[in-house]
Amino acid sequence: MRCLIGFVIIFSLFLNQGCKPSDTNENESIEAAETEELNFRYSIEVLDSVEVENVLVPAFAFEGKSGDNLVFRDKASSKVFVFDSLGKPLYSWDKSGDVPGNFSMAADNFVFDKNHNIVLGDNMAGIRVFTIDGQLVLQNRTYQPQTGFHKWVDLFRKNQVIDKGGKEFLIHHLDLMDDVQQIGEEFYKSRKNLLLTDLSNGKTKQILPFPEKSKFLAGKAFPFEDFRPVFFFNEKEEVLYLMFQNEAVLYLFDWKGDEPIYKETILIDLPGFSSHEGWEYKDVDYGLLNAGQLGSPFPSRIRNLEKIGDDFLISYYPSPISDSDLEIVRKNEATKELKDRLREETKIKTVLFDLKTKEVSPIDFPQMRYESFKLIDVELWWMKPASKDVEDEDFVVYRGRIIEKK
């Protein structure tokens, strides 16, 4: 029953996200006017596009590239679609139901290994590795039973396949992965925030406790979503870069050995970002995921971290400008107009962060389906926004690069 409820909740969230006004052209004129008022230093130059046709599924999303082939998935099911570089269909396969390799709609976005196999982490089913045509390579059960999932439909990378010592591993994380059943000082001190799975045999271990300077060790409690990590491991530097979702802080870890060793903390001045100061331990139950349940609607969230050259792309939700507006929401007295305005104020933003100068520069992004993108090498890939009042059957994926405005 618990799994069925989880499926229903996730399905509803997926469909709601897919129908958000920001996924349509409804607000394009408003956003265009806002864009003209901002002093963007960078923009996106479109290099190419690919159209895939005659696909009718509830939540079609671009998952990435397997070699030269383009991989998509229906986010409301476990059906996978593969096209060649020109948009010609190659394979479609489904891993739903009682079949080897089955995965749920709660599975994270795909990543790919050196053999171009599809690798995914599923909070309900575990790790899965498939060939491009759907043959099961590796199946591993979930590390621990979970109570929470990512509630957004997006294209952002959640996990990463890395090479260490000639072996491939998957870095991933789960919402609940501790034996402690009570929030307190010991919970935060003993918690490890990442999982590392050996893709040759499926063996998994916990790594990466909170750094000593993290606010999560300062004697307060936080909902789980505040410390979901986003991360990137640079194999050449052997450095792990990591941010927690409610801290505008970049942590650097030296990872030349078996486990990451804390190296440095960098504070980032993200415009409009507000970090929770925490709650008393007694006020946060184990398993509580939603900050809104603790009286913090529209919380700031780091959603994605990618390294591009010497810089970083950081995508995040800012907090509303007015505390009085938030208080109205807390009292359940907000009008539809106020909620709509707050959603506009807190729309996702992506900035370029220069690690050397510590400068944060906004980027003038085009309209994107699911308000998100994939970074493949140094190029951005995104989907054309959904059509207004029409169910799409044809989808366009754009490929572009970041350029500095003249």
Side-chain angles (χ1 to χ4, degrees):
M1 178 62 71
R2 177 176 170 184
C3 290
L4 177 60
I5 293 172
F7 270 114
V8 172
I9 292 172
I10 293 297
F11 185 73
S12 300
L13 289 168
F14 279 163
L15 295 187
N16 288 341
Q17 177 73 14
C19 297
K20 282 175 57 179
S22 56
D23 275 344
T24 70
N25 298 324
E26 187 173 329
N27 294 322
E28 284 187 356
S29 60
I30 297 174
E31 290 165 358
E34 290 175 348
T35 296
E36 290 175 0
E37 296 174 2
L38 295 174
N39 184 25
F40 290 107
R41 179 177 174 182
Y42 297 96
S43 63
I44 307 299
E45 177 184 48
V46 176
L47 299 175
D48 200 0
S49 66
V50 178
E51 184 174 12
V52 298
E53 301 175 335
N54 302 317
V55 181
L56 187 58
V57 296
F60 194 63
F62 177 61
E63 291 283 343
K65 286 182 63 185
S66 172
D68 292 328
N69 299 322
L70 308 182
V71 181
F72 296 78
R73 181 174 117 208
D74 177 16
K75 291 286 194 175
S77 72
S78 58
K79 190 166 185 178
V80 178
F81 302 81
V82 182
F83 300 82
D84 69 13
S85 59
L86 300 178
K88 178 182 177 181
L90 296 177
Y91 312 104
S92 65
W93 42 274
D94 195 341
K95 294 296 180 181
S96 59
D98 188 18
V99 299
N102 66 83
F103 60 90
S104 74
M105 65 183 73
D108 280 341
N109 294 335
F110 298 168
V111 288
F112 301 88
D113 66 16
K114 62 184 177 184
N115 294 318
H116 308 305
N117 292 323
I118 295 169
V119 183
L120 66 92
D122 184 347
N123 279 1
M124 297 182 71
I127 304 299
R128 303 286 187 268
V129 180
F130 300 100
T131 61
I132 193 67
D133 60 355
Q135 301 303 307
L136 182 63
V137 176
L138 175 70
Q139 175 172 297
N140 195 26
R141 65 183 183 180
T142 187
Y143 187 76
Q144 279 189 2
Q146 299 298 291
T147 65
F149 310 97
H150 297 285
K151 68 179 181 178
W152 298 284
V153 176
D154 63 37
L155 308 187
F156 291 137
R157 177 184 57 79
K158 305 293 193 305
N159 306 324
Q160 185 181 1
V161 175
I162 66 170
D163 184 293
K164 282 192 66 64
K167 296 181 67 175
E168 285 191 303
F169 297 85
L170 179 70
I171 312 175
H172 55 119
H173 72 93
L174 302 179
D175 287 315
L176 307 184
M177 55 184 190
D178 308 273
D179 294 328
V180 179
Q181 296 298 310
Q182 164 178 340
I183 289 292
E185 183 179 4
E186 183 58 31
F187 169 84
Y188 291 96
K189 285 185 176 180
S190 62
R191 179 178 171 84
K192 293 186 178 179
N193 291 287
L194 291 179
L195 297 179
L196 187 68
T197 297
D198 186 332
L199 292 179
S200 67
N201 56 28
K203 291 183 178 180
T204 299
K205 67 176 182 177
Q206 298 182 29
I207 61 172
L208 206 96
F210 287 114
E212 288 186 8
K213 295 184 179 180
S214 168
K215 72 174 184 178
F216 301 109
L217 297 180
K220 293 288 186 177
F222 298 84
F224 273 88
E225 61 183 7
D226 274 16
F227 48 89
R228 274 198 187 113
V230 294
F231 51 84
F232 178 81
F233 177 62
N234 187 297
E235 293 182 2
K236 184 177 180 181
E237 300 174 353
E238 295 188 287
V239 173
L240 175 68
Y241 300 91
L242 180 140
M243 301 181 75
F244 296 107
Q245 284 193 168
N246 188 244
E247 273 191 324
V249 175
L250 179 65
Y251 295 103
L252 281 63
F253 299 84
D254 185 299
W255 201 356
K256 295 183 176 65
D258 291 339
E259 296 196 7
I261 304 299
Y262 169 76
K263 180 180 178 182
E264 185 180 357
T265 295
I266 298 174
L267 303 180
I268 303 177
D269 185 14
L270 294 177
F273 193 92
S274 178
S275 183
H276 289 142
E277 295 181 359
W279 289 262
E280 297 300 322
Y281 290 137
K282 62 181 177 63
D283 295 330
V284 179
D285 294 330
Y286 183 81
L288 188 60
L289 290 157
N290 190 341
Q293 295 172 286
L294 292 170
S296 180
F298 298 98
S300 291
R301 288 280 175 262
I302 306 292
R303 289 292 310 285
N304 192 52
L305 176 69
E306 295 286 2
K307 196 168 191 295
I308 180 166
D310 294 328
D311 303 318
F312 289 88
L313 289 177
I314 301 174
S315 299
Y316 71 100
Y317 287 119
S319 293
I321 298 171
S322 169
D323 288 337
S324 60
D325 286 343
L326 285 177
E327 187 60 30
I328 294 173
V329 175
R330 290 189 190 100
K331 294 179 179 179
N332 294 318
E333 298 174 354
T335 63
K336 180 181 181 301
E337 290 73 20
L338 175 58
K339 290 180 180 178
D340 288 345
R341 177 164 60 78
L342 292 180
R343 289 189 185 99
E344 280 296 311
E345 287 182 12
T346 59
K347 284 180 62 175
I348 195 166
K349 301 180 184 297
T350 298
V351 297
L352 190 72
F353 175 64
D354 188 317
L355 189 60
K356 294 180 179 178
T357 65
K358 308 300 185 290
E359 183 179 8
V360 173
S361 301
I363 304 172
D364 185 3
F365 267 83
Q367 289 290 297
M368 294 179 175
R369 191 181 186 94
Y370 306 125
E371 300 178 320
S372 54
F373 57 86
K374 291 280 189 186
L375 183 68
I376 303 176
D377 297 325
V378 295
E379 295 177 343
L380 276 68
W381 294 66
W382 69 95
M383 298 180 69
K384 179 183 177 181
S387 301
K388 183 180 179 181
D389 301 326
V390 177
E391 191 168 14
D392 288 317
E393 296 183 32
D394 303 332
F395 300 85
V396 178
V397 179
Y398 294 98
R399 176 172 64 88
R401 63 180 180 181
I402 299 174
I403 59 172
E404 189 166 3
K405 288 188 172 184
K406 297 181 179 179

